[in-house]
Structures are given as C-alpha cells and as structure tokens.
Amino acid sequence: MVSGLTGPGRCVDGRSRGSARTTMTLTGDLPAHAQVVIIGGGIVGASVAYHLAERGWHDVVVCERRRLAGGATAYSPGLVGQLWPSRTLTRLARYSADLYARLGEEAGFRPVGSVAIATSHQWLEALQRSAAMARCLGIAANVLSREQAAELWPLMRASDVLGAVHLPADGTIDPVTTTQALARGSGAGVFEGTQVTAIRSRHGRVAGVVTGAGDIEAEYVVNCAGMWSHEIGRLCGVGMAVHAAEHACLVTEPITGLGGDLPVLCDPEGPSWFRQNGGKLLLDWFEPNGKPFRAEGFPEPFGFDRLPDGLDHFRPLLDAAAGRVPRLAETAVRLFFGSRGNFTPDDRCLLGEAPELRNLFVAAGFDTIGTQSAGGAGKVLADWIVDGLPSMDVWDLDLRRMMPFRRNAHYLRDRTAESLGRTGAARLPHRSSQTTPGPRRSVLHDRLAARGACFEESAGWERPGCFSASGERGAQNAQQNVAAEHQAVRRAVGLFDLTSQAKFLMQGPDAEVVLDRMSANRMQVPVGRIVSTQFLNRRGGIEADVLATRTGEDSFLVAAAHCCQARVLGWIRRSIPSEARTWVTDATSAYAVLGLMGPRARALLARLTPADLSNEAFPHSTSQEIELAYAWVRANRCSPVGELGWELWVPAEFAAGVFDALLSEGAEFGLCLAGSDALQSLCMEKGQRQWGRDMSDEDTPFEAGLAHCVALDKADFVGREALLRSRGGPPRRRLVHLVLEDTEATLQGQEPIWCNGTIVGWTTSAMFGHSFGRPLAMGYVSAESGVTPAFIRGGRFEVEIACRRVRATVSLRPFYDPLGNRVRM
C-alpha cells in the first residue's frame, strides 16, 4: 500500500500554488467592446486566444473567474501523449506536441517520450493498431518487446508485460507555464477574478457578456470554462452534455535512483500513468468507476484545493500502481490530490459552434486530456471562428453530435460513472454503455427483444445488432447469426428496424428553392421522386449526406444518419434565408421505419397491399403512399444493400400492427429479422458510404466517389464554385473499396493502406463481407498523378493491421452489384 497521504494546497508537482504562476491581471478597466470574449483562463482558453492572434485577431479578452491556469489546468499531470485510438484526437495531440516543442522552455516542454505497455492480447492489439495509425499520421511509433520496455523503464515490474509501444516524440509540460506562455503570445487582455454572469444575444447571435466588473459587447463568445461550462451554457440556453467527476493523482517523495529522463509510463490496464518529475513520481489515473460530483452545481467560492471525498474509492488504484512499480510501496506520498474533471457521455470532448446560438463556440470536456489536446483544439476552434469552418474533420468531437436528451441531469450523472474510465479504455467494436443502455427505443423494441434481439447503443438509440435465440451477443455466436441474417437478405428477404434514422419535414412555397440551393443534386423533380444528395460547405466538403423525397409541391421528407440528427437539423435551419417561406420540422419521433430488403421483398409486400409494386408502376428511387395491413404508410423504393427493397415509413402508432403483419406472412418467403451488423456487412459489399466515417466536411463528392450525385449544370448551389475549381483531371485523393486476402484478419477502420511499400492512405469503415467470405473496407488513397484505374492496376496494395501488413485487392467500384442492377429488379 502506498503510504503517507498528505493534505492539499499545492500544484501537482508539489510546488505551492503561489510559486507556480506569474500574475497577468490587467490594471486597466474592462473594455466595453471586444471581437472575441473567451470565458475561462485554462490551457484550452489560452490556446484559443493564441491561435486567434496567429490568424491576426488581436481584439480578444479572456475572462477568468479566479486565476489564470488556476483551475483543473494547475492540477493536470502535464502529459503530452499522441497515441490515441481516435484519428481526430491523434491529430490534435500531434499538433499540440509540435506546438509545445516550438515553445520549448516557455512551455517547460521535455521530450522524454512515452512507453505504453500491454498485459493482455486484447490491449496489445489495441496499442499496435494505434501505433500503426500514428505512423500513418507521421508520428514515430516503435513496437517493443517486454525486455525492451523494461530497459526503458527499469523500475517497472515487467513479468506480465506482453509488449509495448514507444513514442519518442511524446513528453511532458508544465501546464501553468504553458498556459501563461500561450496567454502572453496571444496579446489578449486577461482579466482574472472576472466572473461571467450572463451572455447576451440578439437575433439568434451572441452579442456579448455580463460580468461583475462590467459588460462587454462581442461578436464571438467562446465557452472554455471547464467544470463551469455547463453553467455558462445555461446562461444563454445552450445545453452542455458535460458533468463533473472526481479525478485523483499523487506525487511521491523523492525516490533514490530515479534519475535521468524516464519516459512517461502508460499502464492502461492498471489503469495508471507514471511521470518522473525531479526525482519524484507523479501518478495519474482514469478510474474505471468514476465518482460523479455535484450535479446541482458548485458552491461559491469553489476551488480545487481539497482532497476528494472517500479515499477508499482510490485505494485499489494505489495498490495496482504499487504492483506495477514496487518501489511505490516503500515510498511516502508528498501530495495526494483529487481535482474535478469534466466528462461527456461518450468520453469525447465538445468542440465547435453551438447549434442554438450563432457565434457561441465551445471547447469543453477536455479534462484528463486537456494538455495533450489543447494546442490542436485551440487551433481548430480559432480557424473555425475566423473561416466559418473547422480546419480539419472533428466530427467525433463536434458539439452537434449531442442530442438534447444527453443534457438530462440524471442521465449525465449516471453516465459519468463510466465516462472517466472509458477515456483511457481500448476502443473496441460494438462497445456499449453498461450504466445507461440506450435511452431511445423504437416502438418495436419489446417485440424485437422477444425475438432474440441483441441490442447495442448508437447515438442513444438501443438498436438490434443481431438476433440470437439466447439473446446474447458472444463473438462467435454473433458472427454466425450475422452471417445467417446477411445471407437471408441476399437469397430471400430481411426485415430491419431503421426507426433510428433522422427524419425532417421541409414545407412551404419556397421549400424547393431553398433545398435546391442547399443540395449538390437537383431538387426540381416530380412529386414522389427520391433524390440522393449531399449538403456541401463553401469549400465543397460534405456537411451531410441525405435522401430527399418530394412528397408534394411544397413539401419534402429528408432522411439522414441517426448520428447526424442535430447537425443536419441545425444546418437546414441556418440555410433557410430569413425571408424564405419555408420551415423545417424534426419528424424523427413521428415515424417508425421498416426496411424490407431482398429478392423476395416484392412478393411478400404484395400479400399485404393492393398497390401495384411492379417496376413500371413503382420504379426504383420513387415513393408512394400505400395501404399496408391496417395502415397507410409511405413506401420508399430504395435499398442500400444492393437488393430489391423498400423503406416503409409508418406512423408510430401503426408500427406494431404493420410489423406483426409482415412477420405473419413472412415465413412463407423466408423472412429473417436482421440487425445493424448484417446491414453494415451488406452495405459494405455494395459500397454504401457512411457520413462521419467514409465522408466528412473535408471530403468532396468527387473524392468520395459521389460525382453522380452532383448536378454541376444547375443553378448555383453552396460549394459549386469549389467543385468547379477542382475539376480538370482525376482526383488526387479518392475513396476506394478493398477486399483482404486473409480471411482471418479483423478490420476496424483507420488502418494504414500501403501501395508498393509506401503509405498512401487509410481505411474508413470496415466489415466482414459474408457474400465473399473475406474482410472488406473502404478507404482513401492518394496519388500525385491521380487515383485512376491505371494507378489501381499498377499497385501492390496492403492494409496494416496491428503492425502486420495484409495483401488487399483495390477497386474504384463496389464489389457487389457494381452497376446497380439488382436494386432495380
């Protein structure tokens, strides 16, 4: 047991808080006007100010309620690690490490490197996958044996270590010094002891802030308030899905023989992080079972200067750390401190512009990863403010991924119990919450559960991943069941519950004009026509991928991926001119959607409707209202799986009756209930892209292989000029389809793609293709002369999986039904 717990009153390196800072309070009065007001003087807020200055914006004010870097930043362990399972976080961390290296002594940066160890095969593979992705991004990453890891960290007990990954460019910083350096470099006015008490808005835009020292009119406000970001959001009606939790770290007394520059030691299964600091060790944890803290808010004055409640909660972590570094058991502790971290329901931070209020930006939920993400996050947010668009794809951090239910206080408190631990956990496929299973459920949920649905959570929805007689989703069991569901759709007919997809009703005399201006494809189509289109930003990047169905002269139904519900709704609302006679309604909860797909779908559906379902009367990409069982439903003839099929939009109250009728008649036709795993496998074979994985706001339709969805000859639409400029030859970067030769290989996405011995790209989405008996993926590859058929034919392609290369066949067309003949049967 680690001994000698002592009291608070110091920064995490053991120095008194007073000696850890240089006062930066301005002596002048608070200005009445500023271009940007940043709320919060931690390392993220300082980074935003610094990068705004780099873009030439100097009229910036930072309002800090207490002291610059006096909150969670002061008690951060200062780790700068770049090995993350998320490509986005890795890119942010890489930029941060480069920035701190440039600042050098100003940031107290020490490039000591890091060593991440694995004591299970599962974690070893996770580390190797992350190392491969890191190298794909230009980050040096070396895979080590147990002996090599022990040589780099001789105080470690290594008998159970299976392997490790060493990143020599990782390091540590002094977070307080770094924050001060960024603030000085920004030239911003930093006002300490200045609490923001209100945020003003005008005509849907932020207009300024109210503080105890006076009011400031501002064009932009940035919420970087850390643990107070939720309360700041409340001031202007912007919901923030963040919640505080206890977070502990400690500093030992000096340890004899602890000299030189030991790398940071990461034991994610501990879960412990060890940093040498002047002959002492600093320990940090991602507790598996976090302790939510004060859902009702914080008393005033509130600081970070006390021990956490209930030290017994942290003792198992101390014991595990002593097991990894035995010298800890005989070393006294100089400081044990529990700060209050801020965590999100999906253990990823919040970044971007609030959908509820224009020019209100947010950078929150960075606790435990703030130092390693702050540099990159500050740059992305500054670019977003200046340019109106982020400088890189940050969808998995975007504030708009959060639906309003995730701001529910009870949900946040319960979810935070595991969010802290998940921050440092391996990102495994099909990982779902254990504390708060999906709170959003289809009206068919109980019927699906009774038939063996094995549920998974996605964007809050509890959806069937697959079906099993036992209702359990074991790995081998799931694979067999998914294969059976997959083959049933290919040979007979499958039924999917697609209720979770986002649905919007656009209405009004100007609906066609507004939607046409938003869309890359043509919207002047007959009533009943379904159009596949993308919403683009002004640089031609894909902001959303949707299916728009014209339901009347003045109305359209727009469908998008379930994870994009808030994003697409916000994009549509902001794209409607104030003078337009058009409005949008979120209809997601109004309809259940059933996907009936497979070569026998027409025969089954014909048993239940008098409608003419022939190709002549009901062609592909059209929609009709039809009688079905005892209901009227909207039947959309479209199918993402490469087979004949319909999506049946059923008013929610009629869904159970329609479902029962389909099952009652379906046995004769070989009907099989199928889940999202089979759907993903089928879509992967057909090459169906997923927004957020296979395309983003960084990718154009030409790069994503969606040129057929672009009508360049129509009247102006957002992004058209950028697309016109990009014409003139094959794209240098292109989404391709891959099939692996190794049938046992497991793809997860984000693996490097090699061509003739050089990394040329990375995979995006991946799934086993049961029609081919091989793993499939999509991914982007680049070539200076253009990604052409000749380039593909002339390349020897490989995919690197956990640092092992596997041969792959690459194609510009999907491997299943490339000409789309089967969907038009």
Side-chain angles (χ1 to χ4, degrees), residues 139 315 437 504 548 630 642 697-698 733 749 778:
I139 300 170
R315 288 198 180 275
F504 310 99
Y630 293 147
D697 57 10
E698 280 190 303
R733 180 173 170 273
M778 287 187 279

Side-chain angles (χ1 to χ4, degrees), residues 311-386:
L311 291 177
D312 288 345
H313 175 76
F314 298 99
R315 288 198 180 275
L317 299 170
L318 296 172
D319 293 342
R324 178 59 57 204
V325 181
R327 291 286 295 277
L328 286 175
E330 56 195 57
T331 303
V333 174
R334 170 169 292 194
L335 171 70
F336 182 88
F337 186 80
S339 66
R340 308 293 184 264
N342 217 20
F343 300 93
T344 64
D346 59 3
D347 55 270
R348 290 169 296 184
C349 45
L350 302 178
L351 196 66
E353 187 178 14
E356 303 94 331
L357 185 61
R358 297 297 296 263
N359 294 357
L360 189 286
F361 285 81
V362 172
F366 282 89
D367 289 296
T368 71
I369 63 169
T371 54
Q372 46 218 330
S373 303
K379 174 173 172 50
V380 168
L381 206 59
D383 290 341
W384 203 333
I385 292 169
V386 175

Side-chain angles (χ1 to χ4, degrees), residues 50-78:
Y50 177 89
H51 288 95
L52 283 171
E54 281 203 330
R55 295 297 307 273
W57 286 31
H58 300 285
D59 185 12
V60 178
V61 166
V62 178
C63 293
E64 165 54 46
R65 63 185 297 275
R66 298 191 76 186
R67 299 182 304 273
L68 186 72
T73 296
Y75 301 101
S76 163

